[in-house]
Amino acid sequence: MSNSSHILPEHDIRPYSVPQLAERWGCSDSMIRKLINLGELKCFRIGALIRIAAAEVERFETTPVPVQQTATTSSVPVAGDRKVIGRKPRKRSPIVRS
């Protein structure tokens, strides 16, 4: 046995929290939660804490997203195995002129 002060084995990598993963991917916390709720990203819970295993992050990052080529558009993401997550339309307030 080694005299390392490291508690986790060398091959074991700490899981990501939602904010850590959002920072890694350059997106919002809510986007990570949306992927979890859609079943695209697997997580586990420790009480109220949500954690995503490093292996799951690697799986998600290395899974290719299919792209469909058409004559009218150069490249459009296709849902394939994954759902395309779009934005909710903005509510526009009517313009009131006096």
Side-chain angles (χ1 to χ4, degrees), residues 15-60:
Y16 292 90
S17 66
V18 171
Q20 288 171 331
L21 189 55
E23 184 177 331
R24 174 184 171 119
W25 288 350
C27 64
S28 66
D29 293 7
S30 60
M31 183 65 189
I32 301 298
R33 287 189 180 90
K34 190 181 287 188
L35 289 170
I36 291 169
N37 290 335
L38 290 171
E40 298 293 318
L41 191 61
K42 295 176 185 167
C43 71
F44 62 94
R45 293 183 180 266
I46 304 170
L49 303 176
I50 298 174
R51 295 292 182 258
I52 302 99
E56 175 63 9
V57 172
E58 185 177 343
R59 181 205 59 84
F60 190 87

Side-chain angles (χ1 to χ4, degrees), residues 57-77:
V57 172
E58 185 177 343
R59 181 205 59 84
F60 190 87
E61 290 176 344
T62 57
T63 302
V65 177
V67 176
Q68 177 183 3
Q69 298 288 334
T70 63
T72 57
T73 59
S74 59
S75 65
V76 178

